[in-house]
Amino acid sequence: GFAGLWVTWKSPEGDNVYSCTIITTTPNEVMEPIHNRMPVILPREVESVWLSSANGDTATLRELLVPYAAEEMDAYEVSTLVNSPKNDMADVIARVGPAARLL
């Protein structure tokens, strides 16, 4: 899962506004050639720590905001089909070029 934050607030007009964000961090070795940041990807064993509304320990939560283990990732080229949400098919994530890094 990605580390994210959400909030509900009232607009000046009195409407409920639902906002969310995905937290980013510095890239690991796989992502660095692609972009200067990456989403914080939470290992499954700490997802419940992040999601607990009872957890007010900001130091512990801050320790989770690190790059995901590069050895757990793979990067490869995909087609430009990925650029449109209308393309809801497996071909969107099919390899079209050589792997940037196979792990």
Side-chain angles (χ1 to χ4, degrees), residues 67-81:
Y68 194 69
E71 59 273 8
E72 297 292 324
M73 295 180 71
D74 186 12
Y76 56 89
E77 185 179 350
V78 296
S79 85
T80 56
L81 289 171

Side-chain angles (χ1 to χ4, degrees), residues 44-91:
R44 193 169 303 276
E45 61 270 12
V46 299
E47 286 177 354
S48 61
V49 174
W50 181 261
L51 292 171
S52 173
S53 60
N55 188 349
D57 183 357
T58 57
T60 297
L61 294 172
R62 195 172 293 120
E63 289 175 9
L64 302 177
L65 305 180
V66 296
Y68 194 69
E71 59 273 8
E72 297 292 324
M73 295 180 71
D74 186 12
Y76 56 89
E77 185 179 350
V78 296
S79 85
T80 56
L81 289 171
V82 76
N83 295 335
S84 173
K86 293 178 185 176
N87 298 324
D88 187 11
M89 61 189 87
D91 290 346

Side-chain angles (χ1 to χ4, degrees), residues 20-34:
C20 66
T21 187
I22 292 180
I23 300 171
T24 60
T25 187
T26 56
N28 63 20
E29 297 83 19
V30 173
M31 293 303 298
E32 192 171 36
I34 300 168

